[in-house]
């Protein structure tokens, strides 16, 4: 039996600083808002799945100088929405570190997917410190813990944004910390490092193929 079962519904995507909600395949009904509760109410139905993360959730294309995104067909959130028919609100934001306060998510959210920590490591946090921030964030969420899926980002590789092996090692250690944290808190866990995610020249961001591999790995995890 699948771990998560959701009715087919409408989908949401986000822009960098606002949310764009629309029924899948009916983009003429798009509206924009900076209120995630409003995103939950519009588009013809409630939000069932929320993906909360950084640029790799947003779908950032590092070839862009202005924070652009890959096409929807090459963003893992959109691929999962198209494959499942679930309502998915993409709350990825470029540059996001682990928040010090938790946002209020709709109480009827069926699944919250969280993937954070990469930017904290890039800013000098140790894996253990980043995990401590993540624990505080997760503990402050009002959702039931069995509705939360924590995904450890794939390890970084040497590249333009990752000049030292120390950062690569920290990202690998962070995976271990995330796994231990999930076990401690009783929440679901997935290790994206097992999904063969290809990264771009910067050593951090997913390639288009990386997004497709991530979507495939997540879909398998959710069976």
């Amino acid at each position: 039996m699948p771990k998560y079962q959701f009715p087919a519904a409408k989908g949401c995507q986000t822009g960098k600083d606002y949310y764009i909600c629309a029924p899948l395949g009916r983009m003429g009904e798009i509206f924009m808002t900076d209120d995630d509760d409003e995103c939950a109410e519009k588009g013809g139905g409630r939000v069932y799945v929320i993906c909360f993360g950084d640029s790799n959730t947003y779908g950032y294309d590092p070839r862009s100088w202005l924070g652009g995104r890959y096409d929807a067909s090459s963003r893992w959130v959109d691929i999962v929405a198209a494959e499942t028919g679930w309502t998915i609100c993409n709350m990825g934001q470029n540059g996001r570190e682990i928040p010090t306060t938790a946002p209020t998510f709709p109480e009827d959210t069926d699944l919250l997917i969280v993937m954070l920590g990469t930017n904290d490591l890039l800013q000098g946090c140790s894996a253990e410190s980043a995990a401590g921030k993540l624990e505080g964030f997760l503990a402050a969420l009002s959702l039931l813990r069995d509705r939360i899926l924590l995904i450890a980002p794939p390890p970084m590789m040497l590249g333009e944004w990752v000049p030292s092996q120390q950062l690569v090692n920290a990202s690998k250690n962070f995976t271990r910390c995330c796994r231990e944290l999930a076990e401690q808190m009783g929440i679901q866990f997935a290790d994206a490092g097992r999904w063969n995610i290809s990264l771009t020249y910067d050593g951090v961001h997913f390639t288009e193929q990386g997004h497709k591999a991530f979507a495939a790995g997540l879909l398998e995890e959710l069976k």
Side-chain angles (χ1 to χ4, degrees):
M1 178 179 294
K3 296 179 184 177
Y4 310 102
Q5 295 183 359
F6 311 110
K10 298 176 180 179
C12 300
Q13 305 168 1
T14 84
K16 183 176 181 181
D17 297 311
Y18 49 79
Y19 308 121
I20 306 173
C21 299
L24 293 174
R26 295 172 60 192
M27 301 307 285
E29 297 184 26
I30 287 176
F31 69 92
M32 292 180 288
T33 176
D34 59 3
D35 185 336
D36 55 340
D37 290 328
E38 186 176 357
C39 185
E41 294 167 1
K42 294 193 178 181
R46 66 187 178 95
V47 172
Y48 297 102
V49 181
I50 296 176
C51 299
F52 190 82
D54 52 30
S55 53
N56 276 328
T57 297
Y58 173 70
Y60 173 68
D61 182 351
R63 296 170 299 185
S64 168
W65 292 98
L66 300 174
R69 310 170 81 187
Y70 291 125
D71 291 337
S73 61
S74 298
R75 298 195 299 255
W76 69 262
V77 175
D78 296 77
I79 295 170
V80 171
E83 288 289 326
T84 61
W86 299 340
T87 297
I88 302 183
C89 189
N90 185 333
M91 293 183 68
Q93 182 176 329
N94 293 340
R96 175 179 278 142
E97 298 177 33
I98 300 167
T100 55
T101 58
T104 300
F105 296 110
E107 292 183 2
D108 57 355
T109 300
D110 290 291
L111 179 65
L112 171 67
I113 298 175
V114 176
M115 184 172 67
L116 289 167
T118 298
N119 287 302
D120 302 84
L121 298 177
L122 289 171
Q123 293 301 316
C125 271
S126 67
E128 292 75 16
S129 294
K133 292 175 65 177
L134 187 57
E135 179 179 10
F137 171 76
L138 294 170
L141 295 174
S142 58
L143 297 176
L144 296 175
R145 291 187 177 178
D146 62 1
R147 296 186 181 183
I148 302 171
L149 171 62
L150 174 63
I151 301 181
M156 302 180 209
M157 68 177 191
L158 293 175
E160 189 168 301
W161 288 27
V162 186
S164 71
Q165 186 63 37
Q166 182 178 358
L167 266 176
V168 176
N169 294 340
S171 65
K172 293 178 179 179
N173 289 337
F174 185 64
T175 295
R176 172 185 54 79
C177 292
C178 286
R179 180 182 294 106
E180 293 173 354
L181 178 60
E183 292 175 356
Q184 172 190 326
M185 299 187 70
I187 62 178
Q188 297 285 339
F189 173 76
D191 177 6
R194 301 176 57 189
W195 299 343
N196 297 317
I197 311 298
S198 56
L199 304 179
T200 67
Y201 67 92
D202 60 23
V204 173
H205 293 104
F206 301 173
T207 63
E208 292 171 290
Q209 186 57 44
H211 274 272
K212 294 173 182 177
F214 188 100
L218 179 56
L219 287 167
E220 185 65 27
E221 179 69 25
L222 294 175
K223 283 184 178 179

